[in-house]
Amino acid sequence: MRTGFLNFARRFETWTACGLAFAFLLAGCGGHPKAPLSSLGSLPDSVVQADRSQYASFLPNPQLTPGDTLPVTVQDICVPGYARKVRNVPIEVKRQVYQEYGIYHHRPGEYEIDHLISLELGGSNSIKNLWPQSYITHPWNAHIKDQLENELHREVCGGEMDLAIAQHDIATDWIATYKQVFHTDRPLSPQEYRQFTETASRRAGAGGGPTAPVATTPVPDSTSNTTNDATSGSTPNGAVRVWVNTRSGKYFLPGSRYYGNTKSGEYMTEDQAIRQGYVKAGGE
């Protein structure tokens, strides 16, 4: 009987070890099967956290900024100039957002108070949808997120993606969504992004179809990210940074006497300003 008990004990230990190893793999250390990002909500929290951990510093605090939307339709957000009409984040709210994230001092143009779910995707101006996103961090920053917002807006308005899915995915993990949408494991260069959008436009004009994957060869690392001041009019990705007068609806290029000098305004790329319905000031 003693021999039988010892054999059972050894088998039990083996079964337990195998069970623990399998659970360990499911937890993410061995890699869980990739699922559509829109289904991440059904996975254990430990699995989702494991995916985010490698770039968590580039994501908002989900307790402070879970995301929030307005009760709008696809037809609403696809009207040119929609985002400019609904944009309304008072200075006091921006200060509160900075304080919540422990940022009490920063250079002009170093951050933007970003909408996690962009206005172009039906995001709201609620503080639950706002966070200070850096323009100068590398490799992920506000300029890269702008690329994603543009593409998701294009896909939603083109009928290629459901609005609710786009809202959920960008709020859950915008970097994972970027990788999924652009078929890449790192940010696209300005040239690659233009290539992607041109290809997408051609396909849409020809009746749709999936966009061709973009090459994922490494981009040279930058060692001078933090030197790109807002007053230089440039960004780490080579895009032109303009100053938008949010009250008048016009934007100013670097060198203008109004660049960064209007009572109400913010920095953004020229592409983003045009997409949001702002127009270039006369004489620029």
Side-chain angles (χ1 to χ4, degrees), residues 10 135 163 178 269:
R10 292 192 187 97
Y135 277 118
L163 176 59
Y178 184 101
T269 65

Side-chain angles (χ1 to χ4, degrees), residues 59-142:
L59 300 172
N61 183 328
Q63 266 62 56
L64 297 176
T65 315
D68 189 61
T69 59
L70 294 171
V72 294
T73 66
V74 172
Q75 289 71 28
D76 293 328
I77 67 169
C78 295
V79 173
Y82 162 81
R84 179 167 66 87
K85 293 178 182 177
V86 299
R87 181 180 297 274
N88 181 23
V89 182
I91 294 296
E92 295 75 17
V93 174
K94 292 184 178 182
R95 288 181 184 143
Q96 184 180 349
V97 174
Y98 280 121
Q99 290 173 0
E100 283 191 345
Y101 275 84
I103 299 173
Y104 299 98
H105 304 284
H106 60 89
R107 295 180 301 157
E110 184 177 357
Y111 293 94
E112 72 164 338
I113 298 301
D114 190 26
H115 294 77
L116 177 57
I117 303 174
S118 63
L119 295 177
E120 296 90 335
L121 293 173
S124 79
N125 293 298
S126 163
I127 196 168
K128 295 188 297 182
N129 194 43
L130 301 172
W131 63 299
Q133 185 175 25
S134 173
Y135 277 118
I136 61 177
T137 51
H138 185 82
W140 305 101
N141 54 53

Side-chain angles (χ1 to χ4, degrees), residues 177-270:
T177 304
Y178 184 101
K179 293 179 177 182
Q180 184 181 66
V181 166
F182 290 107
H183 316 291
T184 180
D185 56 3
R186 48 81 180 165
L188 303 183
S189 68
Q191 295 77 15
E192 289 171 332
Y193 174 64
R194 282 194 294 271
Q195 173 192 344
F196 186 99
T197 56
E198 289 169 1
T199 301
S201 297
R202 285 196 300 269
R203 288 180 177 274
T211 305
V214 177
T216 57
T217 52
V219 171
D221 203 329
S222 172
T223 58
S224 59
N225 308 315
T226 57
T227 63
N228 287 287
D229 194 337
T231 56
S232 71
S234 62
T235 74
N237 301 297
V240 175
R241 178 180 287 151
V242 300
W243 173 258
V244 167
N245 184 330
T246 52
R247 181 168 296 179
S248 70
K250 300 187 186 224
Y251 69 84
F252 302 90
L253 299 175
S256 167
R257 65 185 177 130
Y258 297 109
Y259 188 75
N261 291 321
T262 60
K263 187 172 182 180
S264 301
E266 60 184 282
Y267 294 100
M268 62 179 68
T269 65
E270 186 170 22

